[in-house]
């Protein structure tokens, strides 16, 4: 834990901190070092200005600043990477190369010799990372540098980290500071230690050594991790790279950072239920903290039948109030969980990296639009069309090519600007897992057989986090695999892990076993059988579970799903006096599909789970985990799963 000590002036006194050798090597040789006193310093540097030079008031219509970010590349000359444009409500970053506008799922490479299941630098490039690391450090020594001291994860945990960024790419430093926080130059504690890691940014090598592709090399040690990012899109480094730091620390210390959103759902009667929603990209994490979408007349569109065109609606006079807590990453550190029977988490981020591709025009999300149109301080937009000096609008997305909007427009919202955001740590009442499901009926016999709500035992909940289905029409990840179900990887955060799958599986199992008072549910989105529902299923279940509060189900209120992987299904669901149509709960009763289509989908799920779970059966797997996976391979019943992790499933 961090302790209060007299601060130092980092720019002048950093040699007193005992930093790692590679950091000392670079900072000692750089011609100039810049350390911000406030975030606006970073935004000014991004526009190639001095601190305090910009009038950031929203009413300033005259500032039409625009800067091109580029570097001299050996053998290629000057290469432009991005433009940074001053807007009335912040700055807008646009990358020249459309491939740099979203995270490359293959960007991660491991540059050390510690145990890993990920591709290593040696395997991918045919040599050790040592030479490339030294070339990178030598290049950074020639640059004027911005250094951002920050804490990976919550400040009080004390996992100090540094970002070392060429001054020409100051916008990257600003994005990182908004996402992860920053320690002002004059307020760095004198006992600051690099227990988290260091991030080195070196864009030119993308062109000279990596064929223009995003490459982020993770080099771990016994004490910290170094990340070498050869691109400027902040996703795989400033965002998920820091996630990797936390996962690496957790592996060493015996805890993990969950890939989730969390929200306090407050009923009209002021009772609050904490829901933590996990799942692969596109699984509804951000949507769990989003207000329910209404039709023009105020009703909720439950779903539309893709076969018949029939629509079902619901009247909900007053929705629950939302207190957002986390958007993507939550630390489940032992500091928050000692002696607890419910999982306690705290937001691991200082800002939220919000994708706004779904906002096609004014009025789609009034709450978010109101926040960013007249922000209390300037914001950072990525992949948005902007006229210099104009207003950055959430629905004005840059085009990757004529008529083809970028699928990954983003906005960074500092956490303390989110309306009604709640501080942690918080005790989680319900852990939900989201699954994108395809339309499923007689003419489309797929795996979209999940009803609106499934209640899982802890053992089953663990299996879903191992299988982590990526699901139907995932908007966040480009994947060349054609058809079929795909796995996002253990915990749905495997893409950001540097180590071994089995270690993360064991950590997640221990987390679930230690917190059996936290209950588990499964929620589909997009489609329920033949009904297109979008994220309405998630929002309705959120309303329903919050109104139930701490009340458990009576045994007779639940029926076992015909597919044992899907746990139990409520016989009926009533929200504010309105019944949810049974066909949205019990998919096998839909006329467009029926039991045969349901069983076909169930068999797809069984085969998927068995395929994805079998590789975990290694000697290092926790013995209890081995029993649970074997039970799945043997088509276990609900009773079998309950016995493996006993808990109070039902009321009474």
């Amino acid at each position: 834990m961090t302790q209060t000590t007299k601060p130092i002036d980092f720019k002048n006194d950093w040699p007193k901190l005992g930093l790692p050798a590679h950091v000392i090597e670079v900072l000692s040789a750089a011609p100039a070092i810049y350390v911000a006193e406030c975030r606006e310093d970073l935004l000014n540097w991004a526009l190639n200005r001095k601190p305090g030079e910009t009038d950031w008031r929203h009413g300033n219509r005259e500032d039409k600043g625009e800067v091109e970010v580029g570097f001299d590349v050996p053998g290629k000359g000057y290469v432009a990477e991005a433009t940074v444009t001053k807007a009335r409500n912040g700055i807008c970053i646009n990358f020249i190369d459309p491939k740099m506008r979203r995270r490359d799922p293959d960007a991660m490479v491991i540059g050390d010799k510690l145990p890993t299941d990920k591709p290593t630098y040696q395997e991918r490039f045919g040599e050790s990372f040592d030479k490339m690391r030294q070339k990178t450090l030598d290049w950074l020594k020639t640059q004027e540098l911005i250094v951002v001291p920050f804490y990976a994860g919550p400040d009080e945990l004390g996992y100090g980290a540094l970002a070392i960024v060429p001054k020409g790419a100051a916008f990257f430093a600003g994005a990182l500071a908004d996402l992860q926080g920053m320690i002002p130059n004059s307020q760095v504690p004198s006992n600051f230690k690099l227990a988290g890691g260091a991030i080195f940014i070196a864009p030119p090598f993308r062109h000279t050594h990596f064929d223009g592709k995003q490459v982020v090399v993770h080099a771990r040690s016994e004490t910290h991790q170094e990340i070498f990012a050869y691109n400027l899109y902040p996703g795989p480094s400033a965002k998920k790279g820091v996630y990797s730091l936390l996962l690496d620390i957790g592996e060493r210390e015996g805890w993990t950072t969950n890939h989730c959103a969390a929200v306090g759902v407050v009923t009209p009667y002021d009772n609050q239920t904490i829901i933590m929603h996990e799942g692969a990209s596109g699984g509804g994490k951000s949507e769990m903290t989003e207000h329910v979408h209404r039709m023009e007349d105020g009703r909720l569109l439950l779903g539309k039948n893709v076969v018949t065109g029939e629509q079902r609606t619901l009247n909900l006079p007053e929705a629950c109030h939302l207190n957002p807590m986390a958007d993507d990453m939550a630390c489940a550190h032992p500091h928050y969980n000692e002696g607890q029977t419910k999982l306690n988490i705290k937001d691991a981020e200082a800002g939220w990296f919000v994708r706004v591709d779904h906002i096609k025009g004014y009025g789609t999300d009034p709450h978010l639009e109101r926040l960013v149109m007249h922000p209390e301080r300037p914001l950072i937009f990525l992949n948005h069309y902007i006229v210099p000096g104009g207003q950055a609008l959430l629905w004005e997305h840059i085009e990757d090519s004529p008529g083809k909007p970028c699928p990954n427009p983003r906005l960074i919202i500092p956490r303390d600007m989110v309306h009604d955001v709640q501080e942690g740590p918080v005790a989680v009442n319900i852990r939900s897992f989201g699954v994108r499901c395809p339309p499923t009926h007689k003419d489309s016999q797929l795996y979209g057989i999940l009803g609106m709500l499934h209640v899982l035992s802890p053992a089953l909940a663990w299996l879903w986090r191992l299988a982590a289905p990526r699901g139907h029409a995932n908007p966040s990840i480009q994947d060349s695999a054609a058809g079929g179900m795909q796995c996002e990887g253990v915990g749905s955060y495997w893409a950001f892990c540097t180590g071994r799958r089995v270690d993360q599986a064991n950590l997640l199992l221990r987390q679930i076993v230690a917190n059996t008072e936290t209950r588990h549910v499964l929620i589909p989105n997009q489609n329920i059988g033949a009904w297109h529902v979008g994220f309405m299923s998630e929002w309705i279940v959120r309303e329903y579970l919050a109104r139930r509060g701490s009340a458990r189900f009576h045994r007779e209120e639940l029926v076992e799903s015909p597919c044992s992987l899907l746990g139990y299904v409520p016989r009926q669901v009533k929200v504010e006096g309105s019944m949810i149509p049974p066909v949205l709960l019990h998919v096998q009763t839909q006329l467009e599909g029926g039991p045969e289509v349901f069983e076909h989908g169930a068999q797809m799920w069984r085969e998927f789970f068995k395929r994805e779970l079998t590789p975990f059966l290694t000697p290092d797997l926790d013995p209890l985990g081995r029993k649970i996976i074997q039970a799945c391979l043997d088509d276990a019943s609900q009773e079998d799963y309950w016995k493996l992790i006993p808990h109070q499933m039902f009321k009474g």
Side-chain angles (χ1 to χ4, degrees):
M1 302 302 118
T2 57
Q3 297 178 350
T4 303
T5 60
K6 183 179 179 180
I8 64 169
D9 180 288
F10 185 90
K11 181 178 177 181
N12 295 319
D13 296 335
W14 66 263
K16 301 176 182 178
L17 294 176
L19 298 172
H22 294 138
V23 174
I24 294 173
E25 180 181 348
V26 170
L27 298 190
S28 298
I33 295 174
Y34 298 83
V35 188
E37 196 61 45
C38 63
R39 70 184 289 270
E40 283 72 19
D41 290 351
L42 297 171
L43 301 187
N44 272 297
W45 288 332
L47 292 169
N48 199 23
R49 299 174 181 178
K50 296 177 182 179
E53 192 171 335
T54 304
D55 176 2
W56 292 106
R57 290 178 299 175
H58 186 265
N60 179 8
R61 292 176 167 84
E62 304 306 316
D63 192 338
K64 297 177 172 58
E66 188 166 41
V67 172
E68 184 176 83
V69 177
F71 296 89
D72 290 321
V73 177
K76 294 180 179 289
Y78 175 82
V79 176
E81 293 279 359
T83 59
V84 180
T85 306
K86 168 71 170 64
R88 292 175 62 198
N89 48 346
I91 63 171
C92 189
I93 301 158
N94 281 307
F95 296 94
I96 308 299
D97 184 349
K99 296 192 298 295
M100 295 298 108
R101 296 173 184 168
R102 64 194 301 189
R103 178 171 58 87
D104 184 338
D106 298 322
M108 175 182 279
V109 184
I110 306 302
D112 58 62
K113 297 181 180 179
L114 296 175
T116 183
D117 291 332
K118 286 294 180 66
T120 66
Y121 195 92
Q122 180 77 45
E123 293 167 344
R124 185 164 169 181
F125 299 108
E127 62 180 15
S128 75
F129 180 57
D130 293 343
K131 290 182 180 179
M132 187 68 226
R133 185 203 322 254
Q134 194 57 51
K135 288 180 182 178
T136 306
L137 299 176
D138 289 343
W139 179 80
L140 285 167
K141 288 186 235 179
T142 69
Q143 303 293 306
E144 293 190 342
L145 299 175
I146 294 174
V147 182
V148 182
F150 67 99
Y151 288 110
D155 290 1
E156 68 269 14
L157 300 182
Y159 297 121
L162 293 178
I164 298 174
V165 184
K167 188 169 183 284
F171 76 81
F172 183 97
L176 183 140
D178 273 2
L179 287 167
Q180 309 301 341
M182 58 168 278
I183 307 173
N185 176 63
S186 64
Q187 297 178 30
V188 176
S190 59
N191 64 346
F192 181 83
K193 298 295 181 187
L194 215 69
I199 302 175
F200 300 92
I201 308 301
F205 294 91
R206 176 169 75 89
H207 306 284
T208 57
H209 289 71
F210 303 120
D211 196 28
K213 296 179 180 178
Q214 296 184 39
V215 172
V216 179
V217 182
H218 296 250
R220 299 165 293 169
S221 71
E222 298 298 331
T223 57
H224 69 285
Q225 184 184 148
E226 293 178 351
I227 298 173
F228 294 81
Y230 299 106
N231 72 301
L232 285 173
Y233 176 62
S237 47
K239 169 72 172 168
K240 300 306 187 185
V242 176
Y243 198 171
S244 294
L245 294 182
L246 291 170
L247 291 169
D248 188 25
I249 295 166
E251 277 191 28
R252 296 198 301 266
E253 298 182 355
W255 57 279
T256 196
T257 298
N258 295 93
H259 195 200
C260 66
V263 63
V265 189
V266 183
T267 71
Y269 315 105
D270 289 333
N271 295 315
Q272 177 170 265
T273 298
I274 309 296
I275 300 177
M276 167 180 164
H277 188 72
E278 298 162 273
S281 299
K285 292 185 291 297
S286 293
E287 286 76 11
M288 183 55 79
T289 65
E290 188 176 332
H291 293 269
V292 62
H293 292 191
R294 293 183 180 271
M295 303 169 71
E296 287 188 4
D297 62 5
R299 290 177 298 159
L300 308 184
L301 178 61
L302 286 178
K304 180 177 180 179
N305 192 300
V306 300
V307 176
T308 67
E310 178 187 0
Q311 292 186 351
R312 296 288 182 94
T313 62
L314 178 76
N315 286 312
L316 184 67
E318 185 176 358
C320 290
H321 183 78
L322 304 179
N323 293 326
M325 296 168 181
D327 178 68
D328 189 62
M329 298 155 50
C331 281
H333 193 275
H335 178 60
Y336 310 132
N337 282 282
E338 291 175 4
Q340 303 296 318
T341 55
K342 290 181 182 177
L343 180 64
N344 281 251
I345 58 171
K346 186 171 183 181
D347 195 354
E349 300 181 282
W352 296 352
F353 202 36
V354 180
R355 190 180 64 238
V356 292
D357 61 309
H358 64 291
I359 298 183
K360 311 291 187 185
Y362 173 75
T364 304
D365 188 339
H367 297 86
L368 184 60
E369 292 165 25
R370 189 178 305 118
L371 187 152
V372 305
M373 293 292 276
H374 294 85
E376 60 192 54
R377 53 188 184 272
L379 297 172
I380 297 177
F381 300 79
L382 293 91
N383 304 329
H384 282 75
Y385 172 79
I386 177 68
V387 174
Q391 181 89 344
L393 302 174
L394 291 182
W395 52 89
E396 291 279 4
H397 309 149
I398 196 171
E399 292 185 335
D400 283 356
S401 59
K404 184 180 179 182
C406 172
N408 192 41
R410 294 276 181 168
L411 164 72
I412 304 176
I413 305 178
R415 191 179 189 277
D416 60 3
M417 291 180 64
V418 177
H419 185 62
D420 287 334
V421 71
Q422 185 166 327
E423 295 301 321
V426 294
V428 176
N429 300 107
I430 296 168
R431 287 179 74 166
S432 57
F433 194 89
V435 184
R436 298 182 71 89
C437 287
T440 299
H441 45 81
K442 291 175 183 176
D443 295 327
S444 177
Q445 299 196 25
L446 296 169
Y447 54 91
I449 61 169
L450 277 66
M452 186 173 282
L453 173 63
H454 294 260
V455 180
L456 303 181
S457 65
L460 261 180
W462 179 66
L463 292 182
W464 276 93
R465 282 154 182 80
L466 265 57
R470 184 168 290 168
H472 167 70
N474 189 298
S476 299
I477 300 291
Q478 291 179 332
D479 204 307
S480 59
M485 282 191 275
Q486 300 166 50
C487 174
E488 186 92 334
V490 57
S492 76
Y493 54 63
W494 173 243
F496 326 127
C497 287
T498 54
R500 303 187 306 165
R501 294 179 184 86
V502 67
D503 296 326
Q504 292 300 324
N506 289 338
L507 289 172
L508 285 169
L509 179 59
R510 291 168 201 154
Q511 187 184 77
I512 287 175
V513 170
N515 297 284
T516 54
E517 285 297 305
T518 294
R519 291 171 286 158
H520 299 271
V521 299
L522 184 66
I523 306 173
N525 63 65
Q526 304 314 305
N527 298 278
I528 295 176
W531 291 82
H532 177 70
V533 298
F535 290 100
M536 188 58 69
S537 50
E538 185 174 308
W539 296 326
I540 293 295
V541 167
R542 183 179 67 190
E543 297 286 330
Y544 174 66
L545 293 176
R547 284 166 170 79
R548 288 190 65 93
S550 61
R552 297 181 184 274
F553 289 95
H554 285 290
R555 177 65 184 87
E556 59 271 17
E557 292 180 296
L558 299 174
V559 294
E560 292 188 20
S561 170
C563 175
S564 62
L565 291 170
L566 303 183
Y568 297 90
V569 183
R571 292 184 185 274
Q572 62 183 29
V573 168
K574 183 190 293 186
V575 181
E576 291 294 281
S578 297
M579 301 296 295
I580 301 301
V583 292
L584 295 180
L585 297 171
H586 310 282
V587 178
Q588 70 275 17
T589 66
Q590 294 183 8
L591 296 178
E592 298 79 15
E596 290 186 3
V597 172
F598 184 95
E599 177 53 32
H600 184 271
Q603 187 59 31
M604 291 182 71
W605 280 116
R606 294 185 198 105
E607 292 173 358
F608 172 74
F609 268 71
K610 291 175 182 179
R611 182 185 80 219
E612 298 299 334
L613 296 178
T614 300
F616 286 97
L617 295 174
T618 66
D620 291 332
L621 181 67
D622 186 296
L624 174 59
R626 179 175 295 276
K627 291 179 182 178
I628 296 172
I629 291 178
Q630 190 58 53
C632 178
L633 299 179
D634 295 337
D635 297 317
S637 67
Q638 300 305 318
E639 182 74 11
D640 295 330
Y641 286 121
W642 183 88
K643 289 179 179 177
L644 286 164
I645 304 180
H647 61 287
Q648 185 181 352
M649 186 83 182
F650 306 109
K651 186 181 293 186

